[in-house]
């Protein structure tokens, strides 16, 4: 539903190799199919692929991570531009029958109804399931400590069956941890904190919001030092809702360009985060992580793991937002 940055576009010259389910320490940008020609998409989603074979029924692949879809271009004429005018041709798969999708685990919470957010991104809700649906669906939900929050339905297992078991976690390429409205540390004991970090070091990806800072603040060293000036408790940010995008690094600059291309930015290097913005910590330790959005405190940060290894050898990545993502007024 939105243009995507850094998607690999290529013409294969042999069959694509199937992906292996579950977490792995793979470098980004690895493709199969012995490409004849390849390129990557710009922040506004556009791309230009040169040296494409001329003729009929030319295969074309779009890939980012384990998202991959192959389509067929009916005709490519020589010595001229061959624009793709059908937007349905140049998108990622919305379900696993259209191509390849990663396995994603989602824990529920009192806030951030990810089950509402994912379809807005173009993912078919037919991919939603519970633990027993793993073999046939790609988005698997686990019940967090929700208080008065949502329940996905019958058969759902608790979030602790996910983050308390490294083998269960390793079944997933990405784990989305929804804010539960409180720290709920009784459901995240120290062994589980270590297990989650082990998942990251093995190549896992995590996305957390607000109170899910506990996976950083209560995690094994040196994670707690990642957030400097940590206070916790989800104190609300006051004042302007306009924040800055950090454009001092290449992907931050691309992120700003993408926000402007999609209408998510209120102007150059600015973004309106609306309501439900918090002030759980001051700044990310720049020696351990990267900030993406900031005001008088940082609002979106990331880090790679394991932190005790050179960055080039790190497989996992975690992204934290000190914001709720499913509040209607949030950009």
């Amino acid at each position: 539903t939105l243009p995507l940055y850094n998607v690999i576009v290529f013409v294969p010259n042999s069959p694509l190799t199937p992906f292996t389910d579950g977490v792995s320490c793979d470098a980004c940008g690895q493709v199969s199919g012995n490409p004849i020609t390849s390129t990557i998409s710009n922040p506004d989603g556009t791309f230009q692929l040169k040296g494409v074979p001329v003729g009929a029924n030319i295969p074309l692949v779009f890939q980012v991570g384990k998202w991959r879809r192959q389509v067929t271009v009916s005709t490519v004429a020589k010595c001229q531009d061959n624009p793709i005018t059908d937007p349905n041709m140049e998108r990622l798969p919305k379900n696993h029958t259209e191509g390849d999708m990663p396995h994603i685990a989602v824990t529920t919470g009192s806030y951030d109804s990810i089950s509402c957010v994912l379809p807005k991104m173009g993912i078919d809700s037919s991919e939603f399931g519970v633990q027993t649906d793993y073999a046939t669906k790609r988005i698997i939900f686990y019940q967090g400590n929700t208080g008065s929050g949502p329940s996905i339905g019958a058969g759902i297992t608790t979030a602790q069956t996910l983050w308390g078991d490294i083998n269960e976690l390793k079944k997933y390429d990405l784990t989305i941890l929804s804010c539960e409205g409180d720290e709920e540390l009784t459901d995240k004991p120290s062994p589980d904190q270590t297990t989650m970090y082990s998942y990251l070091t093995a190549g896992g990806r995590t996305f957390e919001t607000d109170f899910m800072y506990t996976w950083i603040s209560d995690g094994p060293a040196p994670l707690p030092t990642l957030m400097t000036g940590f206070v916790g408790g989800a104190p609300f940010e006051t004042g302007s809702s306009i924040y800055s995008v950090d454009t001092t690094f290449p992907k931050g600059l691309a992120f700003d360009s993408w926000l402007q291309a999609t209408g998510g930015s209120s102007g150059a290097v600015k973004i309106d985060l609306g309501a439900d913005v918090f002030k759980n910590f001051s700044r990310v330790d720049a020696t351990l992580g990267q900030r993406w959005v900031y005001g008088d405190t940082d609002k979106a940060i990331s880090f790679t793991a394991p932190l005790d290894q050179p960055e080039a050898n790190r497989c996992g990545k975690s992204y934290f937002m000190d914001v709720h993502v499913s509040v209607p007024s949030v950009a």
Side-chain angles (χ1 to χ4, degrees):
T1 60
L2 293 172
L4 294 178
Y5 166 62
N6 219 29
V7 175
I8 305 169
V9 186
F10 65 95
V11 175
N13 195 35
S14 61
L16 302 177
T17 302
F19 290 123
T20 301
D21 281 337
V23 70
S24 58
C25 189
D26 294 330
C28 292
Q30 290 183 336
V31 299
S32 60
N34 190 25
I36 297 172
T37 179
S38 65
T39 189
I40 59 173
S41 61
N42 300 312
D44 64 356
T46 61
F47 65 91
Q48 185 179 54
L49 194 59
K50 298 181 179 182
V52 176
V54 173
N57 300 321
I58 304 300
L60 186 65
V61 178
F62 301 93
Q63 178 182 329
V64 56
K66 287 187 178 180
W67 296 90
R68 185 175 65 185
R69 181 172 180 236
Q70 180 170 318
V71 298
T72 301
V73 180
S74 58
T75 304
V76 175
K78 66 179 179 180
C79 302
Q80 68 182 60
D81 190 17
N82 290 265
I84 297 176
T85 57
D86 180 3
N88 191 56
M89 280 277 289
E90 48 181 351
R91 63 168 173 80
L92 297 176
K94 60 186 177 182
N95 58 58
H96 74 272
T97 66
E98 292 187 334
D100 298 288
M101 295 175 61
H103 262 108
I104 302 173
V106 180
T107 66
T108 65
S110 298
Y111 299 89
D112 291 336
S113 299
I114 299 299
S115 58
C116 298
V117 175
L118 296 179
K120 293 179 180 179
M121 296 169 60
I123 300 175
D124 197 327
S125 59
S126 66
E127 291 293 340
F128 293 3
V130 295
Q131 190 177 23
T132 55
D133 298 318
Y134 179 86
T136 57
K137 298 180 184 294
R138 294 298 185 271
I139 316 294
I140 305 300
F141 286 84
Y142 294 79
Q143 190 76 50
N145 191 327
T146 61
S148 59
S151 177
I152 294 298
I156 191 169
T157 52
T158 68
Q160 200 164 4
T161 65
L162 171 71
W163 61 53
D165 184 345
I166 188 61
N167 292 322
E168 186 70 11
L169 276 170
K170 283 184 174 181
K171 290 162 56 178
Y172 299 96
D173 303 284
L174 167 66
T175 298
I176 299 175
L177 304 163
S178 307
C179 176
E180 297 180 310
D182 207 337
E183 292 183 352
E184 304 292 352
L185 289 177
T186 56
D187 294 330
K188 306 175 189 69
S190 180
D192 290 0
Q193 298 281 349
T194 301
T195 297
M196 183 64 76
Y197 187 62
S198 296
Y199 165 71
L200 283 172
T201 63
R205 268 67 169 162
T206 62
F207 175 82
E208 310 95 359
T209 61
D210 190 18
F211 274 110
M212 284 300 186
Y213 62 67
T214 57
W215 296 107
I216 299 174
S217 62
D218 294 272
L223 283 180
T225 63
L226 185 79
M227 293 176 168
T228 67
F230 178 79
V231 292
F236 277 99
E237 181 68 272
T238 58
S240 173
S241 62
I242 305 298
Y243 296 89
S244 298
V245 176
D246 190 334
T247 58
T248 61
F249 64 111
K251 285 192 175 180
L253 190 62
F255 178 48
D256 174 60
S257 297
W258 177 82
L259 285 169
Q260 294 187 60
T262 59
S265 174
S266 59
V269 302
K270 297 292 184 181
I271 181 172
D272 187 349
L273 294 181
D276 276 24
V277 182
F278 303 97
K279 206 168 184 176
N280 283 301
F281 68 105
S282 177
R283 300 292 184 191
V284 66
D285 182 337
T287 66
L288 297 176
Q290 173 67 56
R291 77 175 181 184
W292 293 76
V293 178
Y294 67 97
D296 61 339
T297 62
D298 291 345
K299 300 306 173 193
I301 64 172
S302 67
F303 69 92
T304 52
L307 287 166
D308 61 352
Q309 293 294 315
E311 190 162 1
N313 297 339
R314 299 177 189 176
C315 297
K317 186 170 187 178
S318 181
Y319 190 90
F320 173 81
M321 290 181 59
D322 217 4
V323 180
H324 287 156
V325 300
S326 62
V327 176
S329 58
V330 173

